[in-house]
Amino acid sequence: MSQVRWWRRPAFVTAVTAITVSVVGGWLQQGGASLFSGLSESEPQPGKPIVTVMTHDDESYNTWLWRRDPWRVASKLTNALAGTAPRERGDVIDRTLRAEGSELPTGGEVQVTVQGADEKAIVLTGLDIVMKRHHRTLPGNLVSMGTQCGSGMSARTYDVDLDAAKPRARLLCDNCDTDVVQPNNPGFPYKVSSGDPEQFIISTRTRGYAAWTARLHWISGGERGVTEIDYKGKSFASLSYTAEANYYYDLDDRKLYQAQ
């Protein structure tokens, strides 16, 4: 039996889940501003679930997919960053790289929190993966902008092989010592309300590139519905989990280095 990853040990999972659900739940009730990078939420509507999505999308500390010549892109980025204040750096990086056709990976691990708009229970019945684009190989170069930090994992995690002919969300064993897929346990249905939110992780894998969204199926008051799960109205982007960065862009001296 393989060693359990530290962030999936039951004690850690329970603590992180409780804290995150408490914070997000309180924030939603107050209608406050975003607490996390990459966090978006659906508009509260009676009888429909409120879905909050959180991803790691820090422009300055992540690995980007650069689709065009890396030296040309780096030159433009260096020019754009010249004289930029530290607090503005993330926006400049994001704007410059996206203008050059680059893409930030947002779909490796997506944390989803679901709750009701009131105390009336909503039954979540299923989760579908919708493929938008797929490449067997990376359509560009991986460029590291820093060190990506891992996030705490919730107890319920769904594994998705995006290279499969028909990708589907498969529940990993809850609170186990290993990451074991439970083929006969879909993890649904379960209930949510305003005071009883649910949290899960969509963990994806691909050897190339994949753009995807998800659909959450639910029943409320006898009526069936579907809520789209996406990244701020766009597809999530997942990059190869086996590939390493080809280049490294040093934000301190604003130079591009090729990986050795």
Side-chain angles (χ1 to χ4, degrees):
M1 181 176 293
S2 60
Q3 183 66 31
V4 63
R5 300 174 187 176
W6 65 270
W7 61 79
R8 287 183 176 170
R9 290 175 182 166
F12 179 81
V13 164
T14 301
V16 169
T17 301
I19 292 172
T20 305
V21 169
S22 176
V23 171
V24 173
W27 168 74
L28 286 171
Q29 291 173 4
Q30 295 171 15
S34 176
L35 297 174
F36 306 99
S37 172
L39 187 145
S40 61
E41 76 289 347
S42 58
E43 292 294 330
Q45 298 182 41
K48 295 184 178 181
I50 301 172
V51 179
T52 305
V53 177
M54 186 173 70
T55 66
H56 178 86
D57 62 352
D58 191 325
E59 302 88 353
S60 303
Y61 298 98
N62 216 320
T63 298
W64 284 73
L65 175 66
W66 289 15
R67 297 175 182 272
R68 299 176 183 172
D69 177 74
W71 301 106
R72 176 178 174 274
V73 175
S75 177
K76 291 199 172 186
L77 180 58
T78 297
N79 292 335
L81 287 172
T84 301
R87 66 178 179 275
E88 300 172 351
R89 188 172 66 177
D91 290 338
V92 172
I93 292 172
D94 186 78
R95 184 170 59 252
T96 304
L97 292 183
R98 290 189 189 280
E100 290 298 312
S102 303
E103 193 165 6
L104 187 65
T106 54
E109 288 187 344
V110 177
Q111 180 174 292
V112 181
T113 302
V114 188
Q115 66 182 100
D118 49 40
E119 290 301 321
K120 184 178 180 180
I122 298 174
V123 180
L124 308 181
T125 60
L127 181 69
D128 293 335
I129 303 299
V130 182
M131 294 296 295
K132 302 296 185 179
R133 296 183 303 281
H134 183 257
H135 298 279
R136 289 292 178 182
T137 59
L138 283 172
N141 292 286
L142 293 183
V143 181
S144 174
M145 305 288 288
T147 302
Q148 179 173 343
C149 299
S151 60
M153 300 288 288
S154 71
R156 182 178 282 108
T157 300
Y158 289 92
D159 174 80
V160 182
D161 181 1
L162 296 173
D163 295 334
K166 187 177 181 180
R168 61 189 181 92
R170 302 189 301 171
L171 181 67
L172 294 181
C173 186
D174 292 351
N175 298 321
C176 288
D177 289 338
T178 56
D179 298 336
V180 179
V181 171
Q182 300 185 80
N184 298 320
N185 183 0
F188 291 93
Y190 45 92
K191 295 181 180 180
V192 298
S193 66
S194 60
D196 186 21
E198 188 65 47
Q199 186 181 89
F200 57 87
I201 295 286
I202 303 174
S203 180
T204 66
R205 295 177 288 111
T206 180
R207 293 184 178 276
Y209 166 89
W212 59 277
T213 61
R215 291 189 301 233
L216 181 66
H217 298 264
W218 48 269
I219 300 175
S220 177
E223 298 292 329
R224 294 182 178 273
V226 178
T227 296
E228 187 85 3
I229 299 175
D230 55 33
Y231 177 70
K232 301 177 182 178
K234 301 179 181 179
S235 302
F236 295 106
S238 296
L239 306 183
S240 172
Y241 68 96
T242 59
E244 296 182 357
N246 310 97
Y247 299 87
Y248 173 74
Y249 186 88
D250 192 314
L251 289 169
D252 291 329
D253 61 15
R254 298 197 295 275
K255 290 183 179 180
L256 182 69
Y257 299 91
Q258 191 162 8
Q260 299 298 319

